[in-house]
Amino acid sequence: MLGRQVRQVLRVYTTYLTFWAYVLLWGLWHLLYPPILSGDFIALFMIAFMNGMIGAGIGRTLGVQFANPRARLMPEFSTAHLLIAGGFVAIAVSTDVTLALLCEASALRVFAMSIGAIGLSILGTLNFGRMKRVSTLLWVALIVLFCAVPNPDESLLLKRLVADPLFQATFGCLGLAAMVAAGRQLIRLSEDSPGYDALDDGVDWDRPIGYPTSRRQQELTKKAASFPPNRTRRDILFNLAFRHMPRPGRWRRAVLRQVVEGAVVLWVLPMQTLVLLMFLWTGNKGSDLLHDGDRFLVCFVPFLVAIGLSSNSWTIRRDHLARESLLPVGRKDFVRDMARATAFEMWVAAAGHCLVIVAALALFASEMPNAGFIGAWLALTVAQYFVGFSLMSWLNAYSPSCGSVVAMGVVCFAMPGMTAAVLAGANQGDSLFGGTVTLLGVAAIAAISFGRLAWYEWRQIDFD
Amino acid sequence: MTDKAVIAAHDVHRSFDSGKHVLRGVDLDIPRGSVVGLLGKNAAGKSTLLKCILGLLRIDEGTMRVFGEDAWWLSAESKARLGYVPQEVKLYPWMRVRQMIAYTAAFYPSWNSAMVDRLVREWELPPDDRIGPLSVGQLQKLAIILALGHEPELLVLDEPVASLDPVARRDFLRAILEFTQNENRTILFSTHITSDLERVADRVAILRGGRIVFHDGLDTLKESVKRLRITAAEELPPTFAVRGSLHMEVAGRSALVAIAEANDRLIDELRTQWDATIDVEDLSLEDIFLEMHHVG
């Protein structure tokens, strides 16, 4: 009987598009794995990051499945679901360990980082609703810790994490303990559990393969329309801003939206700064600050931020879409307004990114590179934010499909790859101008194409 | 708890973070083989009580036992003996009806496929259609079929017919009657449609003010609650009162009184005391419910 249950549950998981997006990302990541394993600190960070992503995906999916009365009342429901989740974790960890053995890297270190990151991430994702403050404090503490350590290679904590088997084993055990705690929490999950509503909402979060887009649009719109107006502060401020203010300007409205929605971008900025500084600080400290192995990763950050920011903003806005569409603006203006609000966030994130690059160059570079190199780096960075923004606007317009997810995967890896190649070429004396202009052209075409697709989709959305 | 009680709730309290104390000492023993209708006004706590019974919500005080086990820690064996249809049905919208049935069947040690197929056919559910586009009524029918498939000993339904049309309601009631032919099966359901309850339930539990104010046979309830139409020889005073009255309207020499425990002795006493003629009226379950909640 267990075999039958496992087969049924497996079908549920593999039906979701995000599952295959994760598989794609995971596969591509393992292509990069061997060169990264040679580094110490960066290797640890990247293993933790990737496995943390996998843990977040597993945690989110499990939470959604368990936030349903059926989960508590169906016999052996928990067993079957936890078994499948355990299988995914085992595959992720064993692949990492196998690659580490093949690359003659420390298998214990990789095992500990993988299992630790996955376990802590699953537990963190399940408790995100009640851990917002804790995670914010954790980020602040990390930034302070990071700034307090003059050189990561000399940090006692990092040294021990890289070299001390006992310390690594402890981290791995922490991850295992977190997994056990997450399992216990899921088995006991009930309507009373903190964050249950957020997990419950997640039923609509993912898109199953082969499910008609039109039906999905209707479901999401129905959900949006029936969303109870319980975010009073937001509603009051919105009404104030849109109905009672004497025609606020377009960009002023975008700023007002930030105030009302809690300015997510301001929470993203420290995280983005931390990640960038970590890469740039540990570079070879040449004139461009970029080590060969890190270049792609640094160029990947804009996409990561753009995707995360767009998705998060969209999640916040989706629930209010039906009511906001009733505000006294025309359909086109309304769509433009939504796009402008996300574009504003992208500008802030891109500006923050550029500032970190300039600051890092001024602080850490052995010599300041020429203005052309800096200009090209900044221009390509901003371009990537806007390609990411357009792509996500399209994906968020209710119509993700297999094709669009593949497009996302290709663009996510192609743009940073090309940017890294242009910057590396400039370092080796190649012409910077030609590569930069070509890439900016490609970025502009991609941004405009995805933007037009998004614009088309958004105008079709039935708000009623 | 009696030996035959499938559900035994004693002094159950439950409140929410908002400070609302919904259940304030519920006592309820449901014997095996009974069909119990749970009645109560909106927000009386019916759904909360059903969720506490099923272990979906944890009780603050008291004891709640199902099949002799603590409801919060029900074993897999007990869960296999339970069926539940929630008020708001949540199923995977992308699954097809037959896939959803196969998914649910995989979790139960026994599954009556023949009965499920028959009900799917009789209730005109399209087996190859996806669940998302189904109407609310069709979704409710599917949820009921999924709850009946493993032939549970205890079936709990939270307003199961709220979204059904009259034909579907009749089919549902027929299925319930068929289901209860086995005397080991127990049904507890909440509803606002008292006529349906009258048709299938043999017991009624009324929830008011966070407590079960009545729990007994439907016939007992109907025999004990009566409406008295009193016409006295003289004008009735403002202090006019009747022992055990649920609701009373007095105008001049006439009074209309609903009483909880009507008996010949009480009626004779009133007749003698006020030199009155008294007509005793039987009440429908709906009238009893309204009288109990002081709605004219």
Side-chain angles (χ1 to χ4, degrees):
Chain A
M1 195 165 98
L2 188 64
R4 204 152 47 107
Q5 291 167 2
V6 167
R7 267 202 310 279
Q8 290 289 344
V9 172
L10 197 59
R11 193 173 68 187
V12 169
Y13 285 88
T14 52
T15 297
Y16 289 108
L17 211 58
T18 313
F19 174 84
W20 294 107
Y22 264 100
V23 170
L24 181 76
L25 195 67
W26 183 74
L28 288 169
W29 152 248
H30 280 91
L31 295 178
L32 296 171
Y33 208 72
I36 284 171
L37 273 179
S38 57
D40 274 348
F41 177 62
I42 292 296
L44 277 184
F45 175 77
M46 286 311 293
I47 292 168
F49 179 77
M50 191 61 211
N51 285 298
M53 291 264 291
I54 291 171
I58 292 174
R60 175 75 184 170
T61 313
L62 280 175
V64 169
Q65 299 299 322
F66 277 73
N68 189 327
R70 298 168 60 76
R72 264 194 86 83
L73 293 176
M74 280 163 83
E76 310 299 353
F77 180 94
S78 323
T79 314
H81 278 265
L82 293 178
L83 209 62
I84 291 288
F88 290 145
V89 173
I91 290 170
V93 175
S94 59
T95 310
D96 282 2
V97 171
T98 310
L99 281 173
L101 288 171
L102 289 174
C103 299
E104 294 175 357
S106 163
L108 174 66
R109 195 177 72 182
V110 170
F111 174 78
M113 271 330 274
S114 303
I115 203 96
I118 292 178
L120 292 170
S121 180
I122 291 176
L123 191 65
T125 309
L126 283 177
N127 292 285
F128 185 72
R130 60 174 165 175
M131 281 178 62
K132 271 183 187 163
R133 280 183 195 163
V134 177
S135 61
T136 307
L137 282 175
L138 203 66
W139 275 114
V140 172
L142 267 174
I143 293 167
V144 170
L145 181 77
F146 185 79
C147 297
V149 178
N151 186 343
D153 295 337
E154 289 167 15
S155 158
L156 189 65
L157 184 78
L158 294 175
K159 257 186 192 170
R160 297 192 75 170
L161 207 53
V162 170
D164 188 342
L166 190 67
F167 202 79
Q168 289 163 5
T170 309
F171 187 69
C173 288
L174 201 65
L176 283 171
M179 275 188 221
V180 173
R184 266 172 67 94
Q185 203 178 328
L186 282 168
I187 290 168
R188 294 174 182 197
L189 193 72
S190 74
E191 285 180 33
D192 291 333
S193 308
Y196 182 91
D197 289 342
L199 292 171
D200 195 20
D201 273 351
V203 174
D204 297 327
W205 171 66
D206 215 336
R207 183 181 187 275
I209 292 168
Y211 195 52
T213 303
S214 55
R215 167 54 50 187
R216 174 123 183 99
Q217 286 179 5
Q218 282 174 21
E219 273 169 21
L220 289 176
T221 313
K222 214 188 293 175
K223 183 181 163 59
S226 64
F227 196 83
N230 56 354
R231 296 183 189 177
T232 322
R233 183 180 66 108
R234 185 184 197 282
D235 288 343
I236 292 171
L237 285 171
F238 245 101
N239 271 307
L240 199 70
F242 284 86
R243 287 187 192 275
H244 303 298
M245 281 183 74
R247 293 184 68 78
R250 289 178 298 185
W251 288 103
R252 202 166 150 201
R253 266 210 309 259
V255 177
L256 270 172
R257 193 178 273 278
Q258 291 301 315
V259 175
V260 174
E261 289 173 353
V264 180
V265 67
L266 294 182
W267 298 101
V268 173
L269 279 176
M271 193 160 60
Q272 175 198 29
T273 306
L274 178 76
V275 172
L276 278 172
L277 282 178
M278 206 140 53
F279 285 128
L280 297 175
W281 203 342
T282 54
N284 63 359
K285 302 197 172 50
S287 62
D288 69 346
L289 286 184
L290 292 172
H291 186 273
D292 278 349
D294 307 338
R295 193 168 282 116
F296 175 81
L297 299 174
V298 171
C299 296
F300 190 63
V301 172
F303 264 100
L304 210 61
V305 175
I307 289 169
L309 202 54
S310 299
S311 307
N312 193 58
S313 303
W314 171 245
T315 310
I316 293 171
R317 279 166 206 155
R318 195 190 68 190
D319 293 336
H320 301 271
L321 207 61
R323 276 177 298 122
E324 279 184 23
S325 69
L326 298 175
L327 292 167
V329 285
R331 172 173 282 261
K332 284 185 182 177
D333 284 339
F334 175 73
V335 173
R336 281 199 187 103
D337 206 65
M338 296 294 282
R340 202 174 291 116
T342 318
F344 175 79
E345 288 162 1
M346 287 302 142
W347 274 117
V348 174
H353 193 131
C354 291
L355 273 176
V356 175
I357 290 175
V358 174
L361 282 170
L363 290 169
F364 312 136
S366 53
E367 56 179 296
M368 201 65 170
N370 62 50
F373 180 84
I374 300 174
W377 191 356
L378 299 185
L380 290 173
T381 300
V382 173
Q384 285 193 80
Y385 271 98
F386 279 87
V387 174
F389 158 66
S390 306
L391 179 66
M392 287 311 291
S393 299
W394 175 45
L395 290 176
N396 285 335
Y398 283 138
S399 60
S401 62
C402 278
S404 54
V405 170
V406 170
M408 184 176 88
V410 171
V411 174
C412 279
F413 282 91
M415 279 297 292
M418 287 193 285
T419 306
V422 169
L423 292 177
N427 216 23
Q428 288 159 6
D430 291 355
S431 163
L432 184 67
F433 183 75
T436 308
V437 169
T438 310
L439 198 47
L440 284 177
V442 171
I445 291 168
I448 291 167
S449 307
F450 289 129
R452 294 308 299 175
L453 282 169
W455 173 245
Y456 172 78
E457 293 285 353
W458 271 87
R459 284 190 306 165
Q460 310 304 317
I461 292 175
D462 184 4
F463 294 126
D464 302 326
Chain B
M1 187 184 86
T2 59
D3 286 343
K4 287 185 175 177
V6 175
I7 297 168
H10 293 294
D11 195 28
V12 168
H13 289 257
R14 167 71 208 200
S15 50
F16 287 95
D17 289 343
S18 60
K20 195 175 178 194
H21 198 161
V22 180
L23 304 180
R24 299 164 178 265
V26 169
D27 287 301
L28 183 68
D29 277 7
I30 294 183
R32 184 179 297 277
S34 55
V35 180
V36 184
L38 180 63
L39 282 176
K41 288 207 293 188
N42 286 333
K46 298 186 296 297
S47 295
T48 305
L49 177 59
L50 294 184
K51 284 177 181 175
C52 288
I53 288 170
L54 294 163
L56 298 176
L57 287 175
R58 199 163 197 169
I59 57 173
D60 298 335
E61 277 176 52
T63 55
M64 177 69 82
R65 303 190 78 79
V66 177
F67 299 125
E69 290 180 11
D70 185 336
W72 182 252
W73 295 111
L74 279 183
S75 62
E77 289 75 27
S78 291
K79 285 179 186 174
R81 297 159 70 191
L82 255 178
Y84 172 52
V85 180
Q87 208 169 10
E88 192 189 344
V89 181
K90 279 182 201 160
L91 302 171
Y92 299 115
W94 51 268
M95 269 195 189
R96 296 181 195 282
V97 170
R98 60 176 163 72
Q99 288 174 332
M100 190 69 231
I101 292 170
Y103 176 78
T104 309
F107 287 90
Y108 290 95
S110 68
W111 187 262
N112 190 338
S113 298
M115 182 191 71
V116 168
D117 291 347
R118 182 172 57 77
L119 285 175
V120 167
R121 223 174 22 253
E122 282 178 6
W123 291 5
E124 294 173 350
L125 280 176
D128 289 320
D129 277 16
R130 291 189 192 269
I131 290 170
L134 295 182
S135 70
V136 182
Q138 285 177 310
L139 204 60
Q140 194 82 13
K141 284 180 191 171
L142 178 58
I144 293 167
I145 292 173
L146 294 175
L148 291 174
H150 57 287
E151 300 183 311
E153 286 175 42
L154 171 62
L155 182 62
V156 179
L157 308 117
D158 194 356
E159 299 197 22
V161 290
S163 318
L164 301 183
D165 61 50
V167 178
R169 258 171 55 205
R170 191 198 55 202
D171 290 344
F172 164 73
L173 294 176
R174 196 188 299 149
I176 292 289
L177 288 171
E178 203 177 291
F179 179 77
T180 51
Q181 279 173 1
N182 182 329
E183 60 185 21
N184 271 330
R185 291 180 186 156
T186 311
I187 300 180
L188 171 63
F189 70 108
S190 69
T191 183
H192 287 123
I193 305 172
T194 48
S195 57
D196 289 346
L197 195 147
E198 278 181 284
R199 222 171 288 171
V200 291
D202 53 27
R203 298 177 76 85
V204 182
I206 297 177
L207 186 64
R208 195 177 65 188
R211 290 189 181 87
I212 296 289
V213 292
F214 178 88
H215 176 221
D216 211 327
L218 181 58
D219 295 338
T220 313
L221 178 68
K222 282 184 162 182
E223 274 165 27
S224 63
V225 181
K226 301 283 181 189
R227 186 186 287 145
L228 307 182
R229 200 173 286 277
I230 302 169
T231 312
E234 292 173 12
E235 192 160 313
L236 292 165
T239 53
F240 175 75
V242 179
R243 198 172 62 244
S245 68
L246 297 168
H247 175 227
M248 188 158 58
E249 284 172 27
V250 183
R253 292 192 302 128
S254 304
L256 203 58
V257 186
I259 50 173
E261 287 172 20
N263 54 60
D264 292 343
R265 200 175 140 198
L266 177 71
I267 294 166
D268 285 344
E269 271 176 25
L270 285 170
R271 198 174 279 141
T272 314
Q273 189 180 355
W274 301 101
D275 190 16
T277 54
I278 300 175
D279 291 328
V280 182
E281 293 176 6
D282 291 334
L283 295 175
S284 66
L285 185 57
E286 184 170 321
D287 288 335
I288 293 172
F289 181 75
L290 294 175
E291 294 292 1
M292 281 187 153
H293 289 85
H294 301 281
V295 182

